[in-house]
Amino acid sequence: MIRVGLTGGIASGKSAVGELLRQHGALVIDSDQLARDVVAPGSAGLAAVIERFGAGILLPDGGLDRAALGRLVFSDDAARAELNAIIHPRVRAAATAIEAQVSDPYAIVVHMIPLLVETGQQDSFDALVVVDVDEDTQRARLMARNDLTEDEAQARIDAQVSRTDRLRVADFVIRNDAGLEELAERAHAVWHELLKRRGQQGDGCGC
């Protein structure tokens, strides 16, 4: 099995790359989705979040108001750290459980983790793929996607490690500064390299 960490700054295009790798045959474990799952209505994770941040972060239907919670934690480093302490262990346990079910010894398992470097997991994988964009593009995409002000978008970018630190630990970098066709070509090139690594690991294919 090849275990791959896939990360990148917020609004860099990780999900698009993850989907492209899934189409090539990877098992993609999406930590963003797991982070939603572990705070689903009725979950122990949501109960812990309510206990810390109060019922004001709930939607009328009882679900988590992620926008309201974001406004709280992205302006308060201590609050964000407390939220991460609730969410991250649950997400890691869920990801571990999914990976444990993989029976194919030659599977390529991609863990898509937004805060992979921030949480010190860069040495936990056989390969680390970073999706990269310049900060101006990142900020513009984030403002459009999440309906944020420039200051709000910048605060979310600043809450993550720097682009330089992220690139420093990358085995492969996929630039997402053009169209979908170019992104698909770049993801395919990385997939080919992952297949080569899998071949070197023991199946002799590398094709």
Side-chain angles (χ1 to χ4, degrees):
M1 178 189 300
I2 294 288
R3 301 180 69 253
V4 180
L6 172 62
T7 193
I10 190 169
S12 62
K14 294 180 298 296
S15 295
V17 172
E19 174 59 20
L20 289 165
L21 295 176
R22 186 194 67 77
Q23 291 173 15
H24 280 299
L27 169 64
V28 178
I29 300 175
D30 183 353
S31 289
D32 258 349
Q33 182 57 54
L34 293 179
R36 292 177 172 85
D37 294 344
V38 300
V39 291
S43 66
L46 182 59
V49 172
I50 295 170
E51 182 179 359
R52 167 58 184 84
F53 295 98
I57 48 85
L58 290 178
L59 294 166
D61 65 1
L64 180 64
D65 187 339
R66 295 173 67 87
L69 183 59
R71 287 192 293 271
L72 287 174
V73 302
F74 283 106
S75 60
D76 185 330
D77 291 347
R80 188 168 64 254
E82 290 180 78
L83 177 64
N84 289 341
I86 295 170
I87 302 297
H88 288 176
R90 291 174 167 85
V91 169
R92 290 190 191 186
T96 298
I98 293 170
E99 187 180 271
Q101 297 175 20
V102 177
S103 59
D104 181 0
Y106 304 121
I108 296 179
V109 180
V110 176
H111 289 260
M112 188 161 59
I113 306 175
L115 300 181
L116 188 153
V117 180
E118 290 84 344
T119 52
Q121 299 180 70
Q122 58 266 32
D123 297 324
S124 301
F125 300 94
D126 299 307
L128 185 61
V129 179
V130 170
V131 185
D132 181 56
V133 294
D134 64 82
E135 192 169 294
D136 288 342
T137 301
Q138 187 182 8
R139 184 169 52 249
R141 289 177 181 173
L142 187 54
M143 291 169 65
R145 187 188 75 184
N146 291 38
D147 192 26
L148 300 176
T149 67
E150 184 173 353
D151 287 344
E152 288 171 335
Q154 189 63 50
R156 298 193 180 202
I157 293 170
D158 292 342
Q160 299 185 326
V161 298
S162 71
R163 181 184 179 194
T164 299
D165 288 343
R166 198 179 292 113
L167 292 173
R168 185 179 295 121
V169 297
D171 294 297
F172 305 103
V173 176
I174 297 178
R175 288 280 295 158
N176 186 17
D177 55 0
L180 289 177
E181 184 175 345
E182 291 84 352
L183 184 65
E185 290 175 355
R186 294 165 184 174
H188 176 76
V190 169
W191 177 253
H192 184 74
E193 291 301 316
L194 294 174
L195 288 179
K196 288 167 62 177
R197 288 198 177 199
R198 184 183 67 179
Q200 293 165 1
Q201 192 183 66
D203 71 352
C205 176
C207 54

